[in-house]
Amino acid sequence: MATTRADADAGDDLYSVLALQRVELTAADSVESDLDFAFRLQLQEAISASLAHVPSSPSTSSAPPPLPHDAASPTFASLQSEELMKLDRELADSRQAKLETQKAREDLQRAIHDHNFAKELAEISDDEWEESGDNIEKPLCARDSGDYFFKVYSKGLVIEELVNGERVSLSAIGVGICDQMDNLIFELKKPLIKSGLNKSAAETKALIEGLNAALSMELDRVRVFIDCFPLFQFVTGRWPAKQRKISVLVDQVSLLEKRFSYFKPRHVARNDMKYVYELARAAINSQMTVPAEISRGKTINETCVICLEDTDVGHMFSIDGCLHRYCFLCMKKHIEEKLRQGMEPTCPHEGCKSKLEVESCRIFLTLKLFEIWNQRMKEALIPVTEKVYCPYPKCSALMSKSEIERDASSSSFVGRRLGARKCTKCHRRFCIDCKVPWHNNMTCIYYKRLNPNPPTEDVKLKSLASSNLWRQCVKCNHLIELAEGCFHMTCRYFIHHSELIILVGMFRNNF
């Protein structure tokens, strides 16, 4: 936190210096304009005086010709002003990048907290849960890592390829950081500019990039996975690095290692590194197919038709099928809004129905948005009339009736004839007819007679819906609210059109 505050103070000081320099440049530009005007006035008078001593002719005009203004030669003040504007944009971009990084850190901290809290909840007995489950809470602490760790995968490649008829050596790195469930939270692929790198140097550079990325996200507990056996021996200290270049890189790894509270390198097979290998290979392929303008050091920008900002072509997304192109930020906001409305993300172009693929969009999606989209896709595969939710609050898994019936047909449990089914996730039994935990030694009619009132959660939701004038679709049971248009309702889950906005997800039972 102290480092962040120091960086913020340094950034504020830099902004103050920039503002002061702008004031000085404005004054200098004004003085330079006055001097230029005085010089031109004196030159005009000198030309007029010299023409007065020349004999006049009928073809000679008495007025001296005007002096051309050299607009093509910029002044020093204007050049310096352009540099200040460029530095100002870079500072704004840097501040925005820090904000995004801080947001990613908070999301990771929240994910770690939720993981640890879920483990604690899983250890609570059902009796204790029934007694005090509604009152259990665990505030989010600044540091709640516990024994949670992250996985760092890195790969460096050095390959000789034929480019424009010449055999050249190309090198690149790929880095992936995952949580304990192997959910990807960060990836990196980029070429290595320096030539003459060997495999060990490229592998070590990839590891350094991965460790720096983990530290920038404040991940202080990591397991490092390495498939290069010499690098694994160097990192664990079993082999000394004999080459000076490798030795310097290994020393950098050792310094980075000391900044982690938990650091565990592991040697794995090459098959376990396929993902980062593909990232490094893609970076090498980009060097082979780079456009001529980029190879000459020029940057190619493309205007996004949504935000109208000039964006680097590397940050433009091309949609498969229709090939419409938009910047990463606009695509992310578009998908986020569509998922919030419960709609399937399609191409933002008006009238275009091309569907977006979650894997192709993964490059600009956050981890949370990626998981939400996958969950929505899973829900969309199950017909509305087939959806069943586990009634246990700690599970609530989504299942299909056909899936449950297949499991029930192979079961020898006597209660299955009375409606007993088993959850595919938590494997606990529930009643498919009453949508409640299994009422053992009790028929559905007798159970409903003993429990005539609906669950407390259902009553609260029904009260909320009534107070907000929400209505329930008779086909899919979704709660909806009239936002605009007439009172006609068309269910989007049966006909892909709707004049109403869905606010609340699928409710597991009818009111």
Side-chain angles (χ1 to χ4, degrees):
M1 182 63 70
T3 304
T4 304
R5 188 178 293 110
D7 293 341
D9 294 341
D12 293 338
D13 293 342
L14 194 53
Y15 271 109
S16 301
V17 172
L18 283 175
L20 183 61
Q21 287 190 355
R22 282 198 199 92
V23 174
E24 293 177 353
L25 276 174
T26 302
D29 194 22
S30 177
V31 172
E32 192 171 2
S33 299
D34 293 341
L35 291 175
D36 183 65
F37 177 74
F39 169 75
R40 289 180 174 278
L41 187 61
Q42 290 179 357
L43 186 60
Q44 190 83 17
E45 292 175 352
I47 293 175
S48 300
S50 62
L51 290 177
H53 297 287
V54 178
S56 61
S57 62
S59 60
T60 305
S61 174
S62 60
L67 293 174
H69 181 73
D70 190 5
S73 58
T75 62
F76 171 77
S78 62
L79 291 175
Q80 197 69 10
S81 179
E82 290 179 4
E83 291 296 325
L84 285 177
M85 290 176 62
K86 187 183 298 184
L87 182 58
D88 198 5
R89 287 195 297 269
E90 291 177 356
L91 283 174
D93 293 342
S94 175
R95 178 167 290 185
Q96 183 64 30
K98 289 179 180 178
L99 291 175
E100 293 294 334
T101 304
Q102 182 63 27
K103 184 180 178 182
R105 291 171 185 164
E106 293 173 356
D107 291 341
L108 286 174
Q109 190 65 32
R110 194 175 297 109
I112 295 173
H113 170 270
D114 293 344
H115 175 268
N116 293 334
F117 192 30
K119 286 176 62 178
E120 295 176 7
L121 291 178
E123 297 173 357
I124 299 176
S125 63
D126 290 340
D127 295 337
E128 185 179 354
W129 177 265
E130 290 291 337
E131 181 181 351
S132 60
D134 293 338
N135 300 321
I136 297 176
E137 61 180 16
K138 183 178 181 181
L140 179 63
C141 303
R143 284 288 177 187
D144 191 22
S145 58
D147 58 350
Y148 199 92
F149 62 86
F150 292 85
K151 301 178 181 180
V152 179
Y153 298 86
S154 62
K155 185 64 183 175
L157 283 182
V158 179
I159 301 176
E160 284 193 356
E161 296 286 353
L162 196 64
V163 180
N164 297 327
E166 297 182 3
R167 201 156 200 79
V168 295
S169 178
L170 301 175
S171 54
I173 62 173
V175 174
I177 300 179
C178 305
D179 59 14
Q180 286 190 194
M181 316 302 179
D182 280 329
N183 296 315
L184 183 69
I185 61 174
F186 176 83
E187 68 174 24
L188 170 69
K189 58 179 178 181
K190 73 174 187 178
L192 295 175
I193 306 301
K194 291 185 179 181
S195 59
L197 290 176
N198 56 26
K199 182 181 178 181
S200 296
E203 293 277 8
T204 313
K205 280 182 172 289
L207 178 57
I208 292 173
E209 287 284 350
L211 296 180
N212 280 322
L215 290 171
S216 67
M217 292 187 288
E218 296 185 354
L219 311 180
D220 58 349
R221 294 177 57 84
V222 295
R223 282 187 181 177
V224 179
F225 295 87
I226 307 170
D227 68 337
C228 177
F229 186 69
L231 176 60
F232 176 74
Q233 298 293 82
F234 294 151
V235 172
T236 54
R238 298 171 185 173
W239 288 1
K242 296 181 179 179
Q243 296 183 12
R244 182 178 177 276
K245 184 185 296 184
I246 304 297
S247 178
V248 171
L249 294 174
V250 172
D251 289 342
Q252 292 184 31
V253 174
S254 300
L255 291 175
L256 293 173
E257 178 184 347
K258 296 177 181 178
R259 299 173 62 182
F260 294 94
S261 62
Y262 173 78
F263 182 90
K264 183 71 174 179
R266 291 185 60 184
H267 183 252
V268 294
R270 187 171 299 177
N271 289 337
D272 297 329
M273 310 289 285
K274 282 185 178 180
Y275 183 74
V276 286
Y277 175 86
E278 291 174 358
L279 290 178
R281 184 70 210 190
I284 286 182
N285 292 338
S286 67
Q287 298 178 69
M288 298 170 57
T289 58
V290 65
E293 291 83 356
I294 298 179
S295 64
R296 290 195 295 266
K298 297 181 179 180
T299 303
I300 300 178
N301 290 332
E302 184 176 347
T303 302
C304 174
V305 297
I306 295 180
C307 62
L308 302 179
E309 292 287 342
D310 291 335
T311 308
D312 188 279
V313 291
H315 292 82
M316 295 290 292
F317 179 74
S318 179
I319 300 172
D320 297 336
C322 61
L323 300 182
H324 291 131
R325 293 172 61 83
Y326 305 96
C327 70
F328 286 172
L329 183 60
C330 289
M331 285 298 302
K332 175 180 174 292
K333 291 181 178 179
H334 169 73
I335 292 173
E336 189 174 4
E337 181 64 21
K338 289 296 181 182
L339 292 177
R340 188 186 68 82
Q341 296 180 5
M343 301 172 63
E344 182 181 13
T346 57
C347 175
H349 189 79
E350 185 177 2
C352 184
K353 301 298 182 182
S354 298
K355 295 182 179 180
L356 299 176
E357 300 293 335
V358 62
E359 287 298 333
S360 61
C361 298
R362 188 170 187 169
I363 187 174
F364 56 82
L365 294 177
T366 61
L367 179 61
K368 182 179 179 181
L369 204 57
F370 180 76
E371 292 176 350
I372 293 175
W373 196 352
N374 276 322
Q375 181 64 24
R376 295 289 171 82
M377 290 174 61
K378 179 183 177 182
E379 293 178 358
L381 292 176
I382 304 176
V384 176
T385 55
E386 287 282 311
K387 290 183 178 180
V388 178
Y389 292 88
C390 176
Y392 291 94
K394 293 169 64 176
C395 179
S396 301
L398 173 64
M399 301 164 284
S400 65
K401 288 183 180 179
S402 57
E403 181 183 12
I404 297 173
E405 295 299 333
R406 282 197 303 269
D407 293 342
S409 61
S410 60
S411 174
S412 59
F413 182 58
V414 179
R416 66 184 180 86
R417 296 187 181 88
L418 302 177
R421 299 294 184 268
K422 184 184 290 187
C423 174
T424 58
K425 183 178 180 181
C426 68
H427 305 293
R428 288 184 286 185
R429 291 190 173 90
F430 66 94
C431 180
I432 189 68
D433 298 320
C434 302
K435 306 294 190 300
V436 295
W438 176 238
H439 39 74
N440 198 20
N441 299 325
M442 192 183 304
T443 63
C444 293
I445 297 176
Y446 187 61
Y447 173 80
K448 291 179 180 178
R449 189 178 300 166
L450 293 178
N451 300 274
N453 299 321
T456 307
E457 294 80 3
D458 295 2
V459 174
K460 290 180 180 178
L461 180 57
K462 189 173 182 178
S463 175
L464 181 64
S466 178
S467 62
N468 288 278
L469 299 180
W470 298 345
R471 295 295 180 263
Q472 189 174 27
C473 175
V474 297
K475 293 182 179 180
C476 67
N477 300 328
H478 271 80
L479 290 176
I480 53 180
E481 179 187 35
L482 179 64
E484 59 184 5
C486 65
F487 290 97
H488 174 71
M489 179 183 72
T490 305
C491 180
R492 69 173 49 156
Y493 286 90
F494 287 85
I495 303 174
H496 295 290
H497 171 73
S498 178
E499 295 155 357
L500 302 173
I501 296 178
I502 295 178
L503 289 184
V504 182
M506 167 69 72
F507 184 49
R508 65 176 67 132
N509 300 317
N510 295 333
F511 286 151

